[in-house]
Amino acid sequence: MAKGTHRHWHLLLLLVPYIWAVALIPLVNKAQGFVFGLPTLLLWMGCTPICATLCLGIVYWWDKRSSGPEQP
Amino acid sequence: MSYDVLIAFGIPLCTTVFSIWFALRGREINFKQWSIGDRGLGTLLVWFLSAGEIYTTFAFLGATGWAYLYGAPGFWVFANVALAFTLGYWLLPRIWVVAKRHDIYTLPDFFTIRFGSKWLGALAAIVGVLYLIPYTQVQFTGLSLILQVLFPGSISKTMAIVVAAMIVLAFTFTAGLRSTALAAAVKDVMVLAVIVAAIVLIGTVPHIGGIVGILTEMKSRHPDYATLPGMMPQRGYTPLWFMSSIILTNISYWMSPQLFQATVSAQSPDVLRRNAVLQPLYALLFLPIFLLGFAALIALPGLKVGDTALLALVAHYYPRWFIGATAATGMLVAMVASSGLLLALATIFAKAVYRDLLAPKASDAQVLRVGRTVLIVAVVVAALLAIRSTSTLIIVALIGIAAVAQLAPGLILSLVWARVTKWGVLVGTLIGVIGTTVPPVITLEKSISFTIQYGLVALAVNAIATVLISIAWQEHASEAMDFVVFRE
């Protein structure tokens, strides 16, 4: 069972995209500046897909690694 | 007929022939193959099918429309798909596993079997149809809008819709879901090519000065465009609205019947996980889409319908071959999306209503025949609605999303909590539907919610009611535990 609980912690990574695209919005919206010529909020929201794919990719890799040997 | 119109109709027609031929090759079409591809779609086809269902005409035209009219409030679309698959990574394999074990094809089946209640399934079927018909109509309306703006005066609205409806009918009627997925692959290549070309060609549009020019012009003409509440502050698109819209869409996302169907058509849970990892990247396409929306605002301010911004830009400034290619892509987008919607509707009727409720002993051939008949009726209804109505794309779709959203607490809870009951779901869903469709209730919700999406208020009340009634009125459903324990 210890292994089972251990395996679930990485799922917390799934919260990162929510923090990125929801919780941090009031803060990011206050930034008036420009990054690489793009308005901050546009660039921030535009990076949400990359953030999600990175987090999901790590979780997937982790899942595969921990369930790998059990599979036939 | 000039050559740009020829391109516009030629590419969708060739795609139709190719995808039907390829889907039928070496396969016998039974009901399961027709409706959910015999649960055999691999990573690539699931990716294309999901992208086909998600990036509809409404997504592309709506996003440029929002960029054009409001600016920053439209940015929430980036989060839409990214967060949908973040939730989906956890949710979709769970749905897939119980769907396979219990022979579930559609969302209403899911409710019928989990709660052992045919009436609950019937209710889910009605809500599903209420969502699917206007959504299909929106696709047809979008398609006629595309052709009218790109070829002004040369193609009538009725003709555009009739041709599209016939093509859609051709490839859903014969081969079903698999041909839709194949056509979606062609569509995605076209979409990518057209958007990349549009961005490259924007340098040639006079008085804009390329991407740098767009951003500098926007900053000087509309200094507030890139922060919330955007260019129309009176609309109340505050950060609170923005966040609640994203959460509302996220919770309700997987309730769309066509996406449920794409989920159960996958080969394995692992296919769904891999798709969840990669699918968010598709949303990066919205970055050039927004830039094109801003370019339209600079070059062509004062358009009456925001949703036509992208098309008007193309029609005014781009070469004729490109107008033809854009029209072809727009047609493919609308056709793939409406195929998925119509197929979902036909499957709900044939499987969840006809076979599970009305005629349990019906043969496979009979069920398939019912599915195909419903398909014809639904195409005709959606096309007629599109020919007669002139409503703006985004409003109709948002109302549909709001109604289907109310099934979310029932479905998600039933995968984590064995004690949720049919009465809880029934009452919760009814409260939610009232909260999103009855105008006085909506006014009340708006008055107490500041600028939070009223749909989220209704959803919260729905969820609370579902939980409370489930606790108060315990009832044993035989399959409850099986839906909660996740075994692959």
Side-chain angles (χ1 to χ4, degrees), chain A residues 11 14 17-18 21-23 25-26 29 31-32 34 37-39 41-42 45-46 48-50 52-53 56-57 59-60 63-64, chain B residues 72 75 78-79 82-83 85-87 89 215 219 225-228 239 242-243 246 250 270 273-274 276-277 280-281 283-284:
Chain A
L11 288 178
L14 297 181
Y18 286 89
V22 181
I25 288 309
N29 192 45
Q32 299 285 334
F34 289 75
L38 287 170
L41 187 65
L42 179 57
M45 289 308 291
T48 309
I50 299 173
T53 287
L56 289 168
V59 173
Y60 180 74
D63 276 344
K64 274 269 129 165
Chain B
F75 298 168
F78 284 114
L83 295 189
F85 282 93
T86 308
L87 174 65
Y89 185 89
L215 293 168
K219 197 175 155 190
Y225 83 104
T227 46
L228 299 165
F242 192 86
M243 295 174 357
I246 293 175
N250 189 240
D270 200 49
R273 285 198 198 96
R274 259 179 279 172
V277 174
L281 290 177
L284 290 173

Side-chain angles (χ1 to χ4, degrees), chain B residues 75-142:
Chain B
F75 298 168
W76 69 288
V77 297
F78 284 114
N80 212 353
V81 178
L83 295 189
F85 282 93
T86 308
L87 174 65
Y89 185 89
W90 174 86
L91 182 69
L92 301 185
R94 280 171 170 73
I95 292 178
W96 190 91
V97 166
V98 291
K100 169 136 183 160
R101 205 179 297 142
H102 296 279
D103 196 33
I104 290 168
Y105 288 29
T106 70
L107 202 61
D109 294 5
F110 183 98
F111 284 96
T112 306
I113 290 168
R114 163 61 177 80
F115 296 99
S117 163
K118 291 183 171 183
W119 287 110
L120 197 59
L123 183 76
I126 293 168
V127 172
V129 171
L130 281 181
Y131 166 94
L132 289 164
I133 291 269
Y135 216 137
T136 312
Q137 180 231 315
V138 165
Q139 299 304 319
F140 284 149
T141 310

Side-chain angles (χ1 to χ4, degrees), chain B residues 57-77:
Chain B
T57 41
F58 157 69
F60 287 116
L61 300 183
T64 29
W66 278 70
Y68 184 90
L69 292 174
Y70 311 115
F75 298 168
W76 69 288
V77 297

Side-chain angles (χ1 to χ4, degrees), chain B residues 141-204:
Chain B
T141 310
L143 183 135
S144 71
L145 191 70
I146 291 171
L147 295 176
Q148 281 174 310
V149 178
L150 292 178
F151 307 117
S154 60
I155 294 166
S156 80
K157 182 181 178 182
T158 311
M159 190 196 119
I161 292 173
V162 167
V163 170
M166 280 181 350
I167 297 180
V168 167
L169 192 59
F171 75 105
T172 43
F173 188 88
T174 43
L177 191 79
R178 201 175 277 270
S179 55
T180 305
L182 287 162
V186 179
K187 171 225 122 181
D188 275 337
V189 174
M190 290 290 294
V191 166
L192 193 65
V194 163
I195 290 176
V196 169
I199 280 291
V200 172
L201 289 170
I202 197 89
T204 67

Side-chain angles (χ1 to χ4, degrees), chain A:
Chain A
M1 213 51 222
K3 197 188 167 202
T5 45
H6 176 74
R7 239 196 283 173
H8 282 69
W9 280 105
H10 69 289
L11 288 178
L12 284 177
L13 260 179
L14 297 181
L15 291 178
V16 174
Y18 286 89
I19 296 168
W20 182 283
V22 181
L24 289 175
I25 288 309
L27 222 73
V28 179
N29 192 45
K30 289 217 171 69
Q32 299 285 334
F34 289 75
V35 186
F36 308 123
L38 287 170
T40 315
L41 187 65
L42 179 57
L43 185 72
W44 183 267
M45 289 308 291
C47 285
T48 309
I50 299 173
C51 167
T53 287
L54 274 180
C55 294
L56 289 168
I58 296 170
V59 173
Y60 180 74
W61 171 76
W62 205 298
D63 276 344
K64 274 269 129 165
R65 205 186 58 164
S66 52
S67 73
E70 293 161 28
Q71 307 226 319

Side-chain angles (χ1 to χ4, degrees), chain B residues 33-68:
Chain B
Q33 179 66 255
W34 184 73
S35 57
I36 55 170
D38 205 19
R39 288 190 217 281
L41 269 53
T43 310
L44 215 54
L45 278 186
V46 169
W47 152 277
F48 286 126
L49 188 63
S50 326
E53 313 275 19
I54 293 166
Y55 300 94
T56 61
T57 41
F58 157 69
F60 287 116
L61 300 183
T64 29
W66 278 70
Y68 184 90

Side-chain angles (χ1 to χ4, degrees), chain B residues 4 11 14 26 46 108 113 130 143 171 187 209 273 283 292 327 330 349 355 369 376 395 397 422 458 470 474 482 484:
Chain B
D4 46 356
I11 293 176
C14 292
V46 169
I113 290 168
L130 281 181
L143 183 135
F171 75 105
K187 171 225 122 181
R273 285 198 198 96
L292 291 169
F349 251 94
R355 203 180 84 183
R369 208 176 310 130
I376 297 173
I395 304 292
K422 66 177 175 221
S470 295
Q474 269 304 310
D482 190 51
V484 175

